[in-house]
């Protein structure tokens, strides 16, 4: 079974700082990767996803992530964070059968706090 | 607007009682899922269903049951056998295509056992 590891459980940054949240997965086959975000009081929503092709993917709100197959990593980045980026961020990997049929395996999440 | 509706948003129950959480979607998605979210634990898969009248256990199915009688509905029952039922429950759906099935989530139901 695959697993997802997020390195930081809590991150505190000041506005305009650069952000990188680490994510590593254990599955050795072809993977599809996701980052989800949960803003305070809101439902989980997709930030970005990687299926194939260019390993650098861009998502909403200026976020991007880079898939590095040799490192089993899919780190999330943003060059300059805003107070409104305060949220919980989850990395996820697709189920083994493909096509999303078995659901996604999620990491434990990173709680990001941006100080004004 | 298309989306996933979970109800109730907040629910309290006494120990020993079963409780059913509702999940309805009007996205015409094939697959539906139930996750449990606990602080510091991320999301863990309880049950999922790829098609009507069929469902599979996820990683933490013990103490839970589901049904899928209609494509748009996937209710979750938290039974008295669930040892630690207080949690935030999330329902999701996806349309199954080649490649990854992006999940769309409801707003969640928070269950507290008194």
């Amino acid at each position: 079974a695959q697993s997802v590891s997020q390195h930081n459980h809590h991150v505190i940054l000041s506005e305009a700082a650069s952000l990188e949240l680490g994510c590593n997965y254990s599955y050795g086959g072809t993977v599809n990767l996701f980052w989800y975000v949960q803003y305070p009081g809101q439902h989980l929503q997709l930030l970005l996803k990687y299926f194939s092709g260019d390993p650098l993917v861009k998502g909403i709100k200026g976020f991007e992530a880079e898939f590095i197959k040799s490192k089993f990593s899919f780190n999330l980045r943003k060059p300059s964070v805003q107070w409104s980026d305060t949220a919980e961020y989850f990395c996820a990997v697709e189920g083994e059968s493909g096509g999303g049929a078995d659901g996604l395996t999620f990491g434990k999440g990173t709680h990001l706090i941006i100080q004004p | 607007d298309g989306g996933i509706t979970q109800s109730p948003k907040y629910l309290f129950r006494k120990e020993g009682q079963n409780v059913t959480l509702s999940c309805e979607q009007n996205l015409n998605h094939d697959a539906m899922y139930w996750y449990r979210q606990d602080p510091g634990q991320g999301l863990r898969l309880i049950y999922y269903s790829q098609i009507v009248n069929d469902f599979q256990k996820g990683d933490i199915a013990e103490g839970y049951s589901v049904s899928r009688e209609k494509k748009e509905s996937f209710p979750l029952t938290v039974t008295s056998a669930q040892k630690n039922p207080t949690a935030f429950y999330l329902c999701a759906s996806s349309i199954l295509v080649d490649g990854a099935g992006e999940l769309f989530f409801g707003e969640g139901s928070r269950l507290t056992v008194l």
Side-chain angles (χ1 to χ4, degrees):
Chain A
Q2 67 271 343
S3 65
V4 178
S5 174
Q6 293 183 238
H7 310 305
N8 309 100
H9 295 302
H10 293 91
V11 173
I12 301 174
L13 295 172
S14 298
E15 276 194 312
S18 64
L19 170 71
E20 181 160 2
L21 300 182
C23 173
N24 287 90
Y25 61 93
S26 65
Y27 186 57
T30 301
V31 291
N32 296 310
L33 297 155
F34 304 81
W35 275 97
Y36 280 84
V37 61
Q38 190 174 36
Y39 296 105
Q42 296 187 27
H43 64 278
L44 270 162
Q45 55 187 284
L46 183 70
L47 204 52
L48 48 78
K49 59 189 176 185
Y50 171 79
F51 291 176
S52 62
D54 188 346
L56 184 64
V57 292
K58 296 191 184 299
I60 60 172
K61 303 188 180 185
F63 286 91
E64 64 179 30
E66 185 175 12
F67 169 54
I68 304 179
K69 188 174 181 179
S70 61
K71 295 185 178 180
F72 298 89
S73 70
F74 190 56
N75 292 355
L76 181 71
R77 300 195 292 249
K78 186 171 184 178
S80 177
V81 295
Q82 300 172 309
W83 177 79
S84 58
D85 293 325
T86 294
E88 188 142 21
Y89 293 80
F90 295 94
C91 183
V93 64
E94 182 194 5
E96 291 181 349
S97 66
D102 298 344
L104 303 181
T105 299
F106 286 83
K108 293 187 176 182
T110 298
H111 189 199
L112 175 66
I113 297 173
I114 306 300
Q115 296 177 330
Chain B
D1 285 339
I4 299 174
T5 302
Q6 290 187 240
S7 62
K9 195 169 183 178
Y10 299 96
L11 185 61
F12 298 87
R13 79 150 210 223
K14 295 181 181 179
E15 279 192 34
Q17 290 180 334
N18 291 355
V19 62
T20 297
L21 307 180
S22 169
C23 178
E24 303 277 332
Q25 55 102 355
N26 60 5
L27 301 168
N28 198 32
H29 284 173
D30 301 302
M32 296 186 74
Y33 312 83
W34 275 104
Y35 284 88
R36 170 180 170 142
Q37 185 179 7
D38 297 282
Q41 296 285 329
L43 279 71
R44 292 179 290 169
L45 184 63
I46 304 172
Y47 267 99
Y48 62 99
S49 168
Q50 300 173 16
I51 195 169
V52 173
N53 292 323
D54 187 47
F55 47 82
Q56 308 295 329
K57 291 182 179 180
D59 300 318
I60 55 165
E62 186 175 349
Y64 300 97
S65 65
V66 292
S67 62
R68 187 87 186 275
E69 296 177 2
K70 299 185 294 183
K71 185 176 184 178
E72 59 269 23
S73 178
F74 191 42
L76 172 75
T77 297
V78 184
T79 75
S80 56
Q82 167 50 231
K83 291 182 173 28
N84 187 20
T86 293
F88 189 53
Y89 291 89
L90 287 166
C91 180
S93 70
S94 72
I95 186 165
L96 300 181
V97 295
D98 289 340
E102 174 189 340
L103 297 187
F104 294 81
F105 285 89
E107 293 194 347
S109 292
R110 189 169 295 281
L111 172 63
T112 302
V113 175
L114 306 173

